[in-house]
C-alpha cells in the first residue's frame, strides 16, 4: 500500500466527538475519542505504517480546519452527498440507514399515513430534514397532513425532545440507535426505516486531490478485503450488511 | 410660615446643625450669614426637605416637612436657588424654566412659556433663552437658576448665595428683583453676604456659626451692635 | 481557498437567508426592548438607598448573568411546558420562547448599564428636580434618564450587537435565524466560505446601519460639550424643536 | 426529568470539568485584559477632537463587533497560518489563537464602554488637569480614568461575563473549555440535567465571586456620594492609605 | 510677563473676545472687572491656553501661548483658580493639592505634602485635609482650589472670582493671602468684583464689556473718575 503524501508523517483526523458510536468521548477523562470512525482511522494509519492522531472540535470547525491543512481528513460521521463533492473529495467506508425512533414500546410504523401530523425532531445540517420533506410530499400526495419538522443543532438536542415529550419521533442513524441499545437497553425503539433514495454511506472527506483520494480508496478496499472493517463493525454492534457496496 | 424647632442634622459623625430653632412669619425676609461651613446651606436644604433632618420639627406653610405625603407640596411651596446653580444641562435655558410649570400642570404651555420669558427678561437673560447651560458664563447661569425657581410661583423663596457669581451691576439688578418679590409679600430666606441687601430688605439677620444660630437681630441692630463676640469678630472683617 | 461567487450571490438574497436575517433582527429588537423595559425600574431601585428589594435585584442580576443563555433557552422551551401545561400548546412557538428567555437574560445586563449611567448623572440634578417640586417619576423621565441615556447608549449598543449574535443560540430550540441557516447550508454543501460570507455581509449591514443610527442620536447629546453645544442650540432654534 | 446526584457530584470535581472551568476563566481573563489595554488608547482618541484616526477607529469598532466571533476564531486559527507561515508552528496553540481572536473582538466592545465612561467625566476635570500643568498621559492616568472607571465598571463586568460564555465558541478551534466538556458528556450519556447542572454551578461560582469583587471595588467610589463619602474618608484616614 | 496682542476668540458664531491687547509686567497685579458675560473668564482661560485663541498673539514669561511644544511650560508658569473650582472629586483635599507637585517631579513627596499642608493652613482648611470635595461647603471648596493652584509654585496666578463663594470673613483672609503673594512679587490677574481688594492691591484695573477692553486705569483713577460711559454706569451700581 502506498501511503498518501499527507500521511507521510502521521495521519491526523478532525472529529466532532458528540456523535456516538461514530466518535465520542467514552470517558470524560479520556484524551482521545473512541468510536467507529476512530477505529477506521487507526486501521487506515496502520495500513500506511504511521500513527493516527485526532483533533476534537465543534462541527463547524471541521471543514475550515481540513481546508487549512490543520488535519489530513475529516472522518466524523459525515455521509456522502452529491453537493458536498464540489468542495471536497469523499471515500465511503460504511453504509448507513436513517431511521425513526420513538420511546420504548411505541408501535412500529407500518404505513407512513400513521406519521401524519406528528411532530418529528431532526438534527439540522444533516440530510434528515430533506428526507423528511420528501416524506411529507408523499403524505400530502396521499391526502394526509404532513409531519411537523423541528430542527435542532445536535442529535442530542433532538433526542431530548423525545424525552421531553414534545416530539413523537426523532430521525437518527441506525448506528446511533445501535449504540444506545448497547449502552442503555430499553429506552428507544426503531419504529421506521426511511426509504433510501440514494447510496449515502459514511465517508472520509479529503481535500480536492484526486490522486491522493484514490490512494485512500485503495486503502479502504484493502481493509474490506482483510476483514478489519468487519471486525470494527462487529465491535460496535452494527450489522455486517452495512459493508455492502463499500470498497467498490 | 416657616418654623424650625430644635432641628439637628448630622453628616455621618459631623454635627452640621445643632438645635436650630427659628420662626419666620408670612412675608418676612430673613438673611442668613455666617462663616464658611457654618451650616447655612444645610439649613435651607432642610427647609424644603432636600436633606432630611435627624431630629426636631420643621413646618412650612402649615405642612410638616419630612412627612412623606406632603413632600411634593413642601417643595412646590418653596422655590430654591442653589449655590452651584444645578441647571439641567440637557435643556435650553427656556426649557429649564418651563419644565416644572409644565409638568406640575399648574398652567398651560403657553402661559408657562410667557411667564418664563418674563422672568428671564427680568434677570436680563432673555436673549440667551435658546442656549444650553454649558454655553453660559457663571453669572448667566446663576440668573437662569433664579428665573427657574421663580417660574414655580412659590410662596417662599430660599436663596443660597444668589449673587455670588454676579458682577456688582448684576448684583444690583438681581437684588432689585428680590426686593420687588419682597415687596409683593413673598417670604424669603436668603443666604448672602451682601450686607447692603441685608440692610435694605431684610427684616431680620440670622447669624450662624459651627451649626448653631448664634444671634438673630434686625439688621440695624446686628450691623451696628452685634451682641455676640463671634458676630463682632465676623463683622469686623467686612470693612476689610 | 475556493470561493464560488455565484453561490454567494444566490444565497445572499435567497429567502432562507433573508428570513434568517429578519428573524435575527426581529428577535433582537423585541428581546432588547423588553429587556430595557424590565431593566429601567430595577436600575432606578439599585441607584437608590440600600433595601431588601435592592438585594433581591442584585441576586436576580447575578443569576441571569451567570446562567448560560443556552440553558435559559432550554429551560423555557423544555422545562416550562412540563411545569405549566399551558406552554405545551401550539401558540408557544420557538420565537416566543426565545423572546422570553433572551429578554430575561438581557435585562440583567441592561440593569447594570442603566445603573452605572444613572450614577454618572451629577447628584445635584436629582436635588434640583426635587427642589422644583417634581414627582420622582417625572424627575427620572425628564431629568435623570435623558442625561443617563448619553452614557448608557454606547454600552447598550454593545449589548444589542451581542444579542444579535446570541440569537443564534436559539437554534437549540429550533429557531432558524441567520447563523443557523448558514450552518445548515455549510453542513449540507461543505461550501463554508461562501455561506459564511453571506452571514458576514448581513451582520455587517445590520451593525453599520445601527452605528449610523447611534451617531444620529448622539448628535442630540452635544449639549454636554463646550465646543459643540452652540451648534445644537442653533439647530434647535432654527427648527423650532 | 431524572437527576442522578452521584453523577453530578462526581463530575463537579472531576479533572475535565475543573480543567474546562479553569481554561474558561484563564482565557477570559487573558483576553479581557488584553482587550482593555487595546481599548484604552483608542477610547482616549475617540473622546478627543474629530480626526482621520478617529474615523479609522470607528471602522475598527464596527468591523470587529459585526464579524461573528466564530469567524474571527476560524480566521485566526485556520487562515492566519496560510498567510504567515510563522503561525504554523507548534507554539501557536488553540489557546493562543483564541486569545488573539477574543482580545481583538472584545476590544471593539470595550472601546465603546471606555469612550462613554470618559465622556461622562465632567468637562472641567480635563481643564483642571491642564491648568495644573499635567501632561496628557498624567491627566488620563490620574484624573480621567479613575473617575471613568466608576462608570465603566458595571458594563465592563457585563462584558467579562459575556466573554466567559463566549469562550465556548473556541471549541470550534478544538479548545475544550467548560461548555464543550459539558456537551461532550451530554452526547455520550444523555444525562442532560446532571452535566448542565455542573456547568451551571461553575458559572454561578465564577459570576458571583466576580460580583463580590466588583462590590469591593465600588466601595472605593464612595467619594461620589454625598452620604457615603464621609465613610470612605474615615477608612482612608484610619488606614493611612 | 504677560502680553496679549489683538487677541480674538469665537465660540461658534459668538465673538467672545474682540481685539484684546494687554501688557502686564513682572510682579504686576491686574484686576479684571466687567459685567457678566463680558469675556473675563474667557480672557484668562486663553492666557494659559485652556481655550485656544483664534487670532492675535499671547505671550507668557517669554513663551508663546499656543505653540504646541510650550503648552506644558505655559501652564506650569500660570496657576489658575476656576470660577467653579473643578476640584478632583476622587481625591481627598490633600491629594488634590499634592497631585501636580508630585507628578511634575519638582519636589519630593515629603516636601510636596509639607507645602500642601502649609497652603491649606493658610486658607484655614487644613483640618479638612482628609475630606473629599463632595463633603465640603462651597466656600471650603473654593479655598482648596486656591491652595491647589498655589502648590504649583507658579510665577503667575490667574484667579477667576476667587472669593465668590466666601463669606466676608474668609474673603478677608483669602485676600490677605493674595496680598502676601502680591508682596512676594507674584504676577497676578484676578477677575473679581471686590472693589476693596482692587483698591488695595491692584496696580491696574481692566474693565471689560461685550468682549472688549473698554478701559485700563490705576484703581484710584478708575474708581474715582472712570473715563468711559459704560464703566461709569457699571460703577454707579456698586454703591447700590
Ligand atoms: N456630605 C457631607 N459629609 C460630611 N460633611 C459635610 C457634608 N456636607 C456638608 N458637610 C459639612 O457640613 C458643614 C456645613 O456645610 P454647609 O454647606 O451647610 O456650609 P455653609 O454654611 O453653606 O458654607 P459656605 O458658606 O461655604 O457655603 C461644612 O463643614 C461641611 O464640611
Ligand atoms: N461654549 C460657548 N458657546 C457659546 N457661547 C459661549 C460659550 N462659552 C462662553 N460663551 C459666551 O461667551 C461670553 C463670555 O463668557 P465668559 O465666561 O468669559 O464671561 P464672564 O465675563 O466670565 O462672565 P461671568 O462674570 O458671568 O463669569 C458669554 O456671553 C457666554 O455666553
Ligand atoms: Mg453653602
Ligand atoms: Mg466668568
Amino acid at each position: 500500500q502506498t501511503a498518501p503524501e499527507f500521511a507521510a508523517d502521521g495521519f491526523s483526523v478532525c472529529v466532532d466527538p458528540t456523535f456516538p458510536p461514530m466518535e465520542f468521548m467514552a470517558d470524560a477523562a479520556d484524551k482521545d475519542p473512541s468510536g467507529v470512525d476512530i477505529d477506521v482511522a487507526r486501521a487506515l494509519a496502520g495500513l500506511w505504517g504511521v500513527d493516527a492522531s485526532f483533533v476534537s472540535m465543534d462541527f463547524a470547525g471541521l471543514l475550515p480546519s481540513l481546508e487549512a491543512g490543520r488535519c489530513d481528513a475529516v472522518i466524523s460521521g459525515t455521509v456522502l452527498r452529491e453537493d458536498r463533492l464540489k468542495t471536497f473529495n469523499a471515500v465511503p467506508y460504511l453504509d448507513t440507514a436513517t431511521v425513526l425512533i420513538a420511546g420504548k414500546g411505541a408501535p412500529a410504523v407500518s404505513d407512513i399515513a400513521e406519521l401524519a401530523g406528528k411532530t418529528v425532531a431532526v438534527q439540522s445540517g444533516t440530510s434528515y430534514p430533506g428526507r423528511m420533506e420528501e416524506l411529507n410530499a408523499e403524505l400530502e400526495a396521499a391526502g394526509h397532513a404532513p409531519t411537523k419538522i423541528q430542527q435542532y443543532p445536535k442529535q442530542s438536542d433532538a433526542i431530548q425532545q423525545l424525552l421531553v415529550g414534545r416530539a413523537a419521533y426523532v430521525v437518527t442513524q441506525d448506528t446511533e440507535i445501535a449504540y444506545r441499545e448497547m449502552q442503555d437497553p430499553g429506552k428507544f425503539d426503531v419504529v421506521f426505516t426511511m426509504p433510501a433514495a440514494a447510496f449515502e454511506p459514511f465517508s472520509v472527506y479529503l481535500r480536492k486531490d484526486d490522486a491522493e483520494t484514490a490512494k485512500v480508496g485503495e486503502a479502504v478496499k484493502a481493509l474490506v478485503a482483510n476483514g478489519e472493517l468487519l471486525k470494527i463493525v462487529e465491535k460496535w454492534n452494527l450489522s455486517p450488511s452495512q459493508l455492502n457496496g463499500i470498497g467498490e | 410660615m416657616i418654623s424650625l424647632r430644635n432641628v439637628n442634622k448630622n453628616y455621618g459623625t459631623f454635627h452640621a446643625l445643632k438645635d436650630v430653632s427659628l420662626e419666620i412669619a408670612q412675608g418676612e425676609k430673613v438673611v442668613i450669614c455666617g462663616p464658611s461651613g457654618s451650616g447655612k446651606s444645610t439649613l435651607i436644604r432642610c427647609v424644603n426637605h432636600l436633606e432630611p433632618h435627624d431630629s426636631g420639627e420643621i413646618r412650612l406653610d402649615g405642612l410638616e416637612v419630612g412627612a412623606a405625603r406632603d413632600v411634593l407640596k413642601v417643595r412646590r411651596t418653596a422655590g430654591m436657588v442653589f449655590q452651584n446653580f444645578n441647571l439641567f444641562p440637557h435643556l435650553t435655558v427656556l426649557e429649564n424654566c418651563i419644565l416644572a410649570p409644565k409638568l406640575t400642570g399648574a398652567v398651560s404651555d403657553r402661559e408657562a412659556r410667557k411667564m418664563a420669558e418674563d422672568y428671564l427678561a427680568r434677570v436680563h437673560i432673555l436673549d440667551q433663552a435658546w442656549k444650553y447651560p454649558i454655553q453660559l458664563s457663571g453669572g448667566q447661569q446663576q440668573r437662569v437658576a433664579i428665573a427657574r425657581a421663580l417660574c414655580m410661583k412659590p410662596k417662599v423663596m430660599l436663596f443660597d448665595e444668589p449673587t455670588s457669581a454676579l458682577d456688582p451691576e448684576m448684583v444690583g439688578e438681581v437684588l432689585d428683583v428680590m426686593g420687588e418679590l419682597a415687596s409683593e409679600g413673598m417670604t424669603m430666606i436668603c443666604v448672602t453676604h451682601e450686607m447692603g441687601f441685608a440692610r435694605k430688605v431684610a427684616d431680620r439677620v440670622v447669624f450662624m456659626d459651627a451649626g448653631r444660630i448664634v444671634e438673630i437681630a434686625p439688621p440695624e441692630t446686628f450691623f451696628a451692635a452685634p451682641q455676640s463676640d463671634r458676630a463682632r469678630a465676623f463683622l469686623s472683617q467686612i470693612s476689610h | 481557498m475556493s470561493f464560488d461567487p455565484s453561490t454567494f450571490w444566490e444565497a445572499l438574497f435567497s429567502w432562507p437567508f433573508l428570513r434568517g436575517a429578519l428573524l435575527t433582527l426581529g428577535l433582537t429588537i423585541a428581546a432588547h426592548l423588553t429587556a430595557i423595559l424590565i431593566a429601567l425600574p430595577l436600575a432606578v431601585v439599585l441607584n437608590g438607598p440600600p433595601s431588601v428589594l435592592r438585594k433581591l435585584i442584585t441576586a436576580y442580576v447575578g443569576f441571569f448573568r451567570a446562567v448560560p443563555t443556552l440553558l435559559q433557552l432550554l429551560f423555557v422551551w423544555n422545562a416550562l411546558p412540563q411545569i405549566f401545561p399551558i406552554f405545551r400548546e401550539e401558540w408557544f412557538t420557538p420565537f416566543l420562547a426565545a423572546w422570553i428567555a433572551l429578554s430575561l437574560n438581557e435585562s440583567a445586563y441592561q440593569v447594570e448599564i442603566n445603573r452605572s449611567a444613572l450614577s454618572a448623572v451629577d447628584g445635584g440634578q436629582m436635588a434640583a428636580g426635587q427642589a422644583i417640586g417634581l414627582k420622582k417619576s417625572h424627575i427620572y423621565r425628564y431629568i435623570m434618564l435623558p442625561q443617563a441615556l448619553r452614557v448608557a447608549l454606547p454600552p447598550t449598543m454593545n449589548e444589542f450587537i451581542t444579542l444579535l449574535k446570541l440569537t443564534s443560540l436559539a437554534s437549540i430550540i429550533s429557531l432558524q435565524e441567520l447563523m443557523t441557516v448558514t450552518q445548515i447550508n455549510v453542513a449540507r454543501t461543505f461550501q463554508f466560505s461562501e455561506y459564511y460570507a453571506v452571514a458576514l455581509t448581513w451582520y455587517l449591514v445590520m451593525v453599520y446601519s445601527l452605528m449610523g443610527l447611534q451617531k444620529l442620536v448622539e448628535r442630540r447629546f452635544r449639549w454636554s460639550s463646550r465646543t459643540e453645544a452652540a451648534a445644537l442650540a442653533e439647530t434647535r432654534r432654527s427648527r423650532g424643536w
Side-chain angles (χ1 to χ4, degrees), chain B residues 151-225:
Chain B
C151 280
M152 294 164 56
K153 297 262 174 214
K155 290 190 193 164
V156 171
M157 279 291 287
L158 309 171
F159 291 100
D160 198 353
E161 314 210 11
T163 58
S164 63
L166 300 182
D167 63 84
E169 200 171 25
M170 201 43 72
V171 167
E173 307 214 11
V174 165
L175 293 184
D176 280 348
V177 173
M178 290 170 63
E180 277 172 47
L181 292 174
S183 65
E184 287 162 14
M186 167 105 54
T187 311
M188 296 200 294
I189 303 184
C190 181
V191 175
T192 185
H193 300 115
E194 285 292 332
M195 297 307 155
F197 174 72
R199 275 213 184 80
K200 214 173 95 182
V201 175
D203 296 313
R204 280 185 296 164
V205 174
V206 172
F207 178 73
M208 292 188 70
D209 185 40
R212 269 183 218 288
I213 293 187
V214 177
E215 192 166 341
I216 307 183
E220 314 82 62
T221 336
F222 180 74
F223 291 112

Side-chain angles (χ1 to χ4, degrees), chain A residues 5-89:
Chain A
E5 264 165 50
F6 59 68
D9 54 349
F11 183 41
S12 76
V13 180
C14 283
V15 295
D16 175 8
T18 56
F19 190 43
M22 301 310 285
E23 47 275 310
F24 62 106
M25 304 304 286
D27 187 285
D30 280 358
K31 209 178 129 291
D32 274 342
S34 324
V36 179
D37 288 342
I38 308 305
D39 292 345
V40 169
R42 291 219 167 93
L44 285 171
L47 215 54
W48 296 326
V50 292
D51 282 335
S53 60
F54 300 92
V55 192
S56 301
M57 62 187 66
D58 188 77
F59 184 84
L62 296 176
L63 304 170
S65 291
L66 176 61
E67 171 93 40
R70 286 223 168 258
C71 44
D72 302 322
V74 167
I75 313 179
S76 191
T78 38
V79 299
L80 182 83
R81 303 263 308 265
E82 202 53 40
D83 40 10
R84 290 175 173 176
L85 297 178
K86 259 188 273 179
T87 352
F88 295 100
N89 284 346

Side-chain angles (χ1 to χ4, degrees), chain B residues 11 14 16 35-42 83 161:
Chain B
Y11 291 113
F14 184 83
S36 172
S38 56
K40 307 181 293 297
S41 298
T42 305
Q83 194 166 4
E161 314 210 11

Side-chain angles (χ1 to χ4, degrees), chain A residues 142-154:
Chain A
H144 299 294
T147 60
K148 293 191 204 84
I149 307 170
Q150 289 184 345
Q151 300 194 35
Y152 291 87
K154 291 226 180 282

Side-chain angles (χ1 to χ4, degrees), chain C residues 67-135:
Chain C
V67 179
T69 321
L70 206 71
L71 293 187
Q72 295 182 28
L73 285 162
L74 286 176
F75 181 85
V76 171
W77 183 236
N78 292 330
L80 223 52
Q82 308 203 344
I83 306 172
F84 306 104
I86 186 167
F87 288 109
R88 271 193 216 150
E89 287 164 33
E90 277 295 302
W91 59 266
F92 193 58
T93 59
F95 186 91
L96 221 60
W99 183 355
I100 294 176
L102 293 179
S103 298
L104 289 175
N105 185 237
E106 183 54 36
S107 69
Y109 293 86
Q110 200 64 46
V111 165
E112 284 293 282
I113 291 177
N114 295 357
R115 174 176 77 92
S116 119
L118 280 175
S119 80
V121 176
D122 184 81
Q125 293 294 309
M126 175 63 100
Q130 292 174 331
I132 57 173
L134 300 186
K135 303 193 282 198

Side-chain angles (χ1 to χ4, degrees), chain A residues 91-148:
Chain A
V91 177
Y93 59 87
L94 186 71
D95 193 12
T96 175
T98 307
V99 295
L100 283 188
I101 60 168
K104 191 74 193 169
V109 177
S110 49
D111 180 356
I112 59 165
E114 290 170 32
L115 299 175
K118 296 274 172 46
T119 302
V120 180
V122 302
Q123 185 183 6
S124 59
T126 58
S127 55
Y128 307 159
R131 295 255 182 111
M132 284 308 298
E133 258 145 37
E134 285 163 22
L135 196 106
N136 275 352
E138 273 181 61
L139 279 171
E140 280 179 314
H144 299 294
T147 60
K148 293 191 204 84

